[in-house]
Amino acid sequence: MPEAPDLEVIKEFLAPRIVGCTVTAAVERKPLVLRNMTGEPFEADLPGRKITSVERRSKLLLIGLGRGRLLIISPMLTGGLRHCQPSTRMDASTCLAFDLSDGCQLRYFDQKRMGQVYLLPPGRSDEIVRLEHQGPDVLSEPLGLDEFTAALKPFRGEIKGILTRGVLVSGIGNAYADEVLFHARLFPFKKRTALSADDVRRLHEAVYSVPAEAVKTLRERMGADIHRKVRGFLKVHGKGGGPCPVCSSKITAITANQRLTNYCRQCQPGSLFRR
């Protein structure tokens, strides 16, 4: 799943390349992904509209189009974007393709069609729940420790679930939650009510430092290949069975709440039986 760091770098790559271009053709190749809320046929409505902006909000990419149209891309688990020449081989997972006036093409692909792409007329963005019901962005100005502590206090659940819900801060998904909690030396399934003041202090630091550092790394490693998932530099997520980079213990990989969690039992002590 592209999370805030991934989408921030994708936005930085796309904005100077596609803003100002006009959509000359649009094709829907796979059903179930596009939610067209304009009442107009997609392939007839998009051509002739200029791309006016590319923005990110949490784990969503927003592309502004001429005459008030807004394209909101929620990649979810398997979606992504590719900016390429039209001659580049079209993957079978490509769902939408946009021909641009500079001769390039923007594609949205999704292997399992789990993501959503919304095409909206003016004034309807408040209907997109993932857009409106979000906490402060994790890559924006950090909350102070006192403010962060107060915002955390109403929650009662496990700390990983709190991070990925997007209400405390937005933009953190499954992968970066694992990384944040490893950096903070916190057991992923520890309840918020069991956190000490020092736990909260370490969590506050990690919530902002880990995604910010990831953006720097992704800028270097992703380049023009915005369709690639760059995760090899992560310390624990996706490294189950490998050595912990701090203590060399084996990294644990478990599936809980329908998602993979990776952590180090030595650096992040805790028990699943006392949750």
Side-chain angles (χ1 to χ4, degrees):
M1 173 191 290
E3 301 178 27
D6 310 275
L7 285 174
E8 182 69 14
V9 175
I10 290 170
K11 179 204 74 174
E12 291 176 354
F13 176 85
L14 286 178
R17 289 168 173 82
I18 69 172
V19 170
C21 289
T22 298
V23 178
T24 58
V27 178
E28 182 180 10
R29 301 182 73 245
K30 302 283 185 180
L32 304 180
V33 169
L34 179 66
R35 276 74 167 164
N36 186 352
M37 299 167 65
T38 67
E40 301 293 334
F42 172 75
E43 296 182 358
D45 187 67
L46 268 289
R49 295 185 187 272
K50 182 178 286 188
I51 297 175
T52 58
S53 62
V54 179
E55 300 175 1
R56 179 192 62 82
R57 199 173 305 174
S58 182
K59 291 178 281 187
L60 305 174
L61 202 67
L62 285 66
I63 299 178
L65 296 160
R67 303 191 301 280
R69 290 287 188 262
L70 180 63
L71 198 69
I72 299 179
I73 300 172
S74 176
M76 299 296 287
L77 291 175
T78 58
L81 289 161
R82 185 165 196 163
H83 182 259
C84 58
Q85 295 296 317
S87 58
T88 303
R89 185 178 67 84
M90 185 83 72
D91 292 338
S93 61
T94 301
C95 302
L96 302 168
F98 306 86
D99 289 339
L100 305 178
S101 56
D102 67 348
C104 291
Q105 198 170 66
L106 182 65
R107 301 172 184 173
Y108 174 79
F109 62 88
D110 197 328
Q111 293 176 342
K112 296 185 178 179
R113 285 180 265 180
M114 297 176 69
Q116 296 98 36
V117 178
Y118 300 90
L119 181 61
L120 305 176
R124 294 190 63 180
S125 62
D126 59 349
E127 298 178 32
I128 310 304
V129 174
R130 289 190 183 92
L131 183 65
E132 295 299 316
H133 298 169
Q134 296 288 330
D137 194 277
V138 72
L139 293 176
S140 296
E141 185 69 25
L143 298 175
L145 177 58
D146 290 345
E147 192 177 1
F148 181 84
T149 302
L152 183 61
K153 190 173 182 179
F155 295 95
R156 293 289 182 269
E158 297 167 352
I159 190 60
K160 180 171 181 178
I162 293 170
L163 290 179
T164 57
R165 194 183 305 175
V167 178
L168 175 67
V169 291
S170 65
I172 294 177
N174 193 48
Y176 283 98
D178 282 352
E179 295 299 296
V180 164
L181 294 171
F182 176 73
H183 186 92
R185 306 192 305 280
L186 290 174
F187 182 56
F189 306 104
K190 192 170 187 176
K191 294 290 185 69
R192 196 286 303 166
T193 51
L195 296 180
S196 68
D198 190 51
D199 288 339
V200 174
R201 179 191 59 76
R202 297 196 313 275
L203 179 64
H204 171 258
E205 189 275 329
V207 156
Y208 295 106
S209 67
V210 170
E213 286 300 313
V215 169
K216 296 176 185 177
T217 302
L218 288 167
R219 283 182 184 135
E220 296 175 356
R221 298 195 182 190
M222 189 178 288
D225 296 329
I226 61 170
H227 57 286
R228 288 195 307 119
K229 184 184 289 186
V230 180
R231 292 281 166 84
F233 68 96
L234 299 182
K235 289 180 169 60
V236 292
H237 185 78
K239 305 294 178 63
C244 170
V246 173
C247 72
S248 298
S249 298
K250 185 182 290 187
I251 294 171
T252 296
I254 64 172
T255 299
N257 301 324
Q258 297 183 323
R259 63 188 172 198
L260 176 69
T261 293
N262 294 122
Y263 66 100
C264 174
R265 295 186 184 213
Q266 296 299 317
C267 297
Q268 300 165 265
S271 173
L272 289 169
F273 299 103
R274 294 199 299 267
R275 287 193 289 162

